[in-house]
Amino acid sequence: MTPLNLTLLLGAFTIMTTNCSSNHVAGREFGKTPSGEAVELYALKNAKGVEGDISTYGGVLVALKVPDHAGALGDIVLGFDDFQGYQIPPPYFGAIVGRYGNRIAHARFTLGGVEYNLAKNDGDNTLHGGKRGFDKVLWTAKNATGHSLELAYLSKDGEEGYPGNLSVTVTYTLTDNNELKIDYSATTDKDTVVNLTNHSYFNLAGQGEGDILGHELILNADRYTPVDKGLIPTGELRSVAGTPFDFRQPHAIGERIGSSDEQIALGGGYDHNFILNRTGDGLSLAARVTEAKSGRALEVFTTEPAIQFYTGNFLDGTIRGKGGKVYGRRSAFCLETQHYPDSPNQPSFPSTVLKPGAVYRTTTVYRFSTT
Ligand code: BGC
């Protein structure tokens, strides 16, 4: 073999092994952004036939099909059949939320003696990263294997008012134990704040199949953070004991949602941050939800200290989603693993500050089974 042939052979071998090791499975075209950028949809599947579809726009979990007690797959997340639906921004259906999940009061905070003013998109406050949060940007699909997908996004210094170039990676993995695992990581070149989550709206009976008031819920939380009328935590860590917020034993979501409790009234239902009972730093059970008719069960495990339980109080039937289904009030629930809302302004809350050199890393697992 001549040296040239050998070089060509080695070159071909390198290309082959590179492709094999990255094993990239292509996405399909989902649509185009108004500026003409291609939006892709990646299908994940596990050995048991569970399927998930993820869009590079917003990192949205567009569909998640899991079995019921008879083994029939049903799509249990709200969303749209085509990209068009996501252009009239829906309330964060399935999206990656960032740079800061939930609210920051008066859309400002001070870090290292500097005041940062953020985009206001919720009255006087900022919500879920601002006007163009991570739910409305195009992510780059880095590595798609057919059962996992890595998405990357660089949030520039000053974007929506936040300091520091933040390099973010979110990896979705569908395991053969019927788990959807989401790994989040981020690094920065300037002190900043970070609080990433996923905003899937679940209905275990199937998307668009009525309200979720009959679903039974357990929340592994002794305390929650009560809010003011702008849904900003007051700073108090309140015991759930003896209140409609006590889900330490299973309760139907709707059982106490109409109660006269002042906090239920402020949220228009449940829209609160629950402080998780945790031991250690690893994954720990946050919530369990079951739906009697389908027999589907969802367990949420997380490394995060808290979870936002939101009962779709602002859905009002004006959105028509997949298959033309009408999404009425409380037709889904969200369980958003997170740090507490408004932490950048509340020094007694666990810190959300990320410094250069440190790596932000969190993991949340949604495990599906049947009862
Ligand atoms: C918030 C709600 C908000 C919803 C959709 C939830 O995380 O807590 O107040 O309406 O997201 O935007």
Side-chain angles (χ1 to χ4, degrees):
M1 186 175 287
T2 65
L4 178 66
N5 281 350
L6 186 66
T7 314
L8 288 176
L9 192 72
L10 281 176
F13 181 70
T14 313
I15 292 170
M16 258 173 61
T17 49
T18 311
N19 283 347
C20 286
S21 64
S22 70
N23 206 12
H24 191 83
V25 175
R28 68 177 169 84
E29 190 171 326
F30 192 37
K32 279 207 162 45
T33 64
S35 54
E37 292 163 298
V39 178
E40 292 176 300
L41 194 69
Y42 282 83
L44 305 186
K45 206 169 186 171
N46 75 359
K48 296 186 175 132
V50 169
E51 289 172 30
D53 286 331
I54 293 147
S55 157
T56 50
Y57 179 82
V60 169
L61 178 67
V62 170
L64 184 61
K65 295 178 185 154
V66 303
D68 66 7
H69 57 75
L73 290 184
D75 187 354
I76 52 134
V77 292
L78 272 50
F80 300 97
D81 291 315
D82 48 43
F83 179 60
Q84 211 53 35
Y86 293 93
Q87 304 227 31
I88 309 157
Y92 306 92
F93 287 173
I96 296 170
V97 168
R99 177 177 309 202
Y100 196 96
N102 217 283
R103 293 173 175 81
I104 296 178
H106 309 299
R108 62 167 186 257
F109 66 95
T110 302
L111 189 57
V114 181
E115 184 178 282
Y116 293 99
N117 289 286
L118 309 170
K120 292 187 179 178
N121 63 332
D122 187 58
D124 192 38
N125 304 322
T126 188
L127 172 67
H128 294 331
K131 291 189 172 135
R132 189 165 178 265
F134 293 0
D135 58 298
K136 295 181 191 71
V137 301
L138 206 53
W139 293 70
T140 305
K142 281 274 165 100
N143 219 337
T145 65
H147 62 87
S148 70
L149 171 69
E150 186 183 315
L151 295 170
Y153 177 65
L154 175 67
S155 171
K156 296 265 173 65
D157 185 14
E159 189 177 282
E160 300 296 308
Y162 290 96
N165 288 296
L166 188 77
S167 173
V168 190
T169 303
V170 176
T171 305
Y172 284 95
T173 306
L174 206 50
T175 76
D176 288 339
N177 296 326
N178 288 357
E179 295 163 328
L180 178 70
K181 180 157 86 84
I182 312 182
D183 292 297
Y184 304 84
S185 71
T187 53
T188 183
D189 60 1
K190 226 189 225 180
D191 287 11
T192 190
V193 294
V194 191
N195 190 26
L196 306 179
T197 193
N198 174 278
H199 209 307
S200 287
Y201 284 68
F202 296 101
N203 184 327
L204 299 183
Q207 63 92 22
E209 296 294 322
D211 67 50
I212 44 75
L213 298 177
H215 286 48
E216 293 238 321
L217 170 70
I218 293 176
L219 281 174
N220 186 16
D222 289 343
R223 294 172 302 166
Y224 76 108
T225 50
V227 290
D228 66 16
K229 60 178 179 351
L231 300 183
I232 300 290
T234 59
E236 182 190 346
L237 310 183
R238 189 178 290 176
S239 167
V240 297
T243 77
F245 293 84
D246 192 346
F247 283 97
R248 292 172 297 181
Q249 298 298 320
H251 285 274
I253 291 175
E255 185 186 321
R256 299 161 298 176
I257 206 167
S259 107
S260 56
D261 183 284
E262 175 226 14
Q263 283 296 317
I264 291 276
L266 286 168
Y270 296 100
D271 190 354
H272 293 80
N273 173 63
F274 286 73
I275 301 168
L276 296 170
N277 303 332
R278 302 191 48 90
T279 43
D281 295 335
L283 284 170
S284 129
L285 180 74
R288 178 176 161 85
V289 192
T290 54
E291 197 277 319
K293 221 168 121 200
S294 65
R296 290 194 184 97
L298 160 65
E299 283 168 312
V300 183
F301 300 85
T302 189
T303 58
E304 286 283 40
I307 199 163
Q308 186 81 12
F309 173 48
Y310 170 59
T311 42
N313 311 310
F314 295 115
L315 295 174
D316 59 5
T318 52
I319 297 178
R320 262 180 199 278
K322 288 177 273 191
K325 298 275 181 156
V326 173
Y327 295 152
R329 189 160 193 241
R330 298 176 179 158
S331 58
F333 63 89
C334 302
L335 287 168
E336 302 151 62
T337 54
Q338 62 182 12
H339 272 57
Y340 311 176
D342 199 33
S343 297
N345 292 310
Q346 309 234 13
S348 65
F349 288 179
S351 173
T352 51
V353 173
L354 181 69
K355 291 179 178 291
V359 183
Y360 170 96
R361 250 187 242 288
T362 74
T363 298
T364 292
V365 171
Y366 300 91
R367 182 184 294 163
F368 298 94
S369 57
T370 50
T371 52

